[in-house]
Amino acid sequence: MPHLEISDLITVTDPLSGARLPVRRGDVVRLLQESGDPRAARIVAGLPAGRDDVLDPLAVDRLMIGVHTEMQRLSEELRIGERLVHVLGPLFEAIREIAGRRGRFRLVDIGSGLGYLVRWLAATGALGPNVELIGVDLDAALVAEADRLARAEGLDCRFVHGNAFDLPEIATVYVSTGVLHHFRGPALTEFFEAQADSQALAFCHFDIAATRLAPVGAWMFHRARMRHPLGRHDGVVSALRAHTDDTLLRAATVPGIRPLLYEPRGLSNPFCTTLRPVLGIRPYLEDPLRLAMGRASRRLVGAEQLSRPGAAR
């Protein structure tokens, strides 16, 4: 049976126009029941809907903003921002080295939600003054809330409703947190191909590490910190859907890109690992990146290292 996240099913947008599409509550309940997840079906059955059984869009928006707010608090407690900058900092240092330390660069966060990563980077200035920060999401309500928070906090960043690959500006680096496990099958490779075909120099996508402890850890953290049952449910399902190291490296192996994993299984402490990234860089960036990372570059591996006899999986 497939693992389905409720949030994926109750918020649906037209991929071309970005317009929100009506979602019938009964259809979602039936789909979750057929997937063998009666608990998720009960959660959706309790959501408000109109006479036509279409889920109330305003109620869904409020719910999603509430869940994402709780997710941000969890990210703050797990110090996710520092973990990301541990890799993104050297990556931009390598890019500056290649560019002769000139120019202005642009980080685009795909599926930015409430914009925690972008707002945290803007607040700390962790990537330096010449990196423009943009968050992009298909959920208009989350984008509006992210923009409101950024303006209230006086931050130099912005948020866009739409497709991250349709921006008029060229991205230097694409990033995401907790997005990869939403892509299944060919869609995962197509996601990486879109970035390889762009003018971006690199991508760096953080997602849940597919360790044996991940579902247990997700259950503990979300049970303790998330109030709404939807957040608790989707948090655990996210861990169950996390891609393996092999799957990520195979999908990220696209023309023009050198795929690398940071801290794959066996090179990291599973009790401390929550998110870890798969990177795709233009091949000429690998040496400058490893130099910028110093000793930490030993934890940056490609498919050839994972395929060696006895290598960790």
Side-chain angles (χ1 to χ4, degrees):
M1 294 288 184
H3 299 292
L4 301 175
E5 292 181 58
I6 297 171
S7 54
D8 285 346
L9 304 176
I10 63 174
T11 55
V12 180
T13 58
D14 186 312
L16 297 179
S17 67
R20 186 172 191 153
L21 301 177
V23 177
R24 294 178 63 84
R25 181 174 58 186
D27 292 342
V28 178
V29 169
R30 183 165 48 256
L31 184 60
L32 290 167
Q33 289 172 335
E34 291 173 354
S35 73
D37 194 342
R39 176 172 172 261
R42 288 195 296 272
I43 293 172
V44 175
L47 298 180
R51 292 181 178 179
D52 53 1
D53 197 38
V54 172
L55 287 170
D56 181 345
L58 294 180
V60 170
D61 286 348
R62 287 194 296 270
L63 174 59
M64 295 304 296
I65 290 173
V67 169
H68 278 257
T69 299
E70 291 187 323
M71 288 169 57
Q72 173 175 320
R73 292 172 186 153
L74 192 59
S75 296
E76 292 169 348
E77 292 175 359
L78 294 174
R79 302 182 68 177
I80 296 298
E82 286 91 338
R83 292 169 186 251
L84 270 55
V85 169
H86 180 69
V87 178
L88 290 176
L91 179 57
F92 273 94
E93 181 66 18
I95 290 171
R96 289 189 181 94
E97 188 66 28
I98 290 292
R101 300 193 171 276
R102 297 185 300 275
R104 185 166 176 80
F105 309 105
R106 184 173 294 111
L107 176 143
V108 174
D109 184 11
I110 302 174
S112 54
L114 290 186
Y116 171 66
L117 172 60
V118 167
R119 290 190 290 114
W120 188 90
L121 291 171
T124 60
L127 297 181
N130 61 342
V131 179
E132 183 181 2
L133 303 168
I134 303 175
V136 185
D137 203 293
L138 291 173
D139 190 314
L142 294 179
V143 168
E145 181 65 5
D147 185 62
R148 186 190 69 80
L149 291 170
R151 284 187 284 108
E153 296 160 345
L155 299 176
D156 184 16
C157 59
R158 62 190 176 95
F159 295 91
V160 178
H161 172 225
N163 186 332
F165 302 127
D166 288 339
L167 293 178
E169 306 94 342
I170 297 172
T172 309
V173 176
Y174 285 107
V175 301
S176 72
T177 53
V179 168
L180 292 181
H181 65 269
H182 291 280
F183 294 101
R184 318 306 298 180
L188 184 62
T189 299
E190 292 169 3
F191 177 70
F192 292 127
E193 287 176 340
Q195 293 160 88
D197 292 341
S198 75
Q199 297 186 53
L201 300 183
F203 57 73
C204 185
H205 297 295
F206 291 78
D207 207 350
I208 300 169
T211 67
R212 292 180 180 178
L213 294 175
V216 178
W219 183 88
M220 292 176 59
F221 278 113
H222 289 85
R223 188 73 185 173
R225 304 302 295 151
M226 306 290 276
R227 294 181 180 275
H228 197 281
L230 184 152
R232 294 177 176 177
H233 174 273
D234 280 9
V236 176
V237 172
S238 295
L240 293 171
R241 301 178 77 193
H243 295 297
T244 66
D245 295 344
D246 286 336
T247 297
L248 286 177
L249 278 178
R250 190 164 51 247
T253 303
V254 294
I257 286 295
R258 164 66 163 152
L260 297 163
L261 266 179
Y262 188 67
E263 292 188 324
R265 288 179 60 186
L267 295 183
S268 59
N269 183 340
F271 290 96
C272 300
T273 303
T274 48
L275 300 185
R276 57 100 174 83
V278 58
L279 293 92
I281 58 177
R282 302 301 177 188
Y284 54 81
L285 268 175
E286 182 169 359
D287 288 342
L289 174 59
R290 291 188 178 278
L291 183 63
M293 296 190 77
R295 290 172 59 85
S297 67
R298 294 178 298 179
R299 291 181 275 176
L300 194 62
V301 302
E304 68 281 2
Q305 283 109 331
L306 287 181
S307 62
R308 289 174 183 167
R313 293 285 178 180

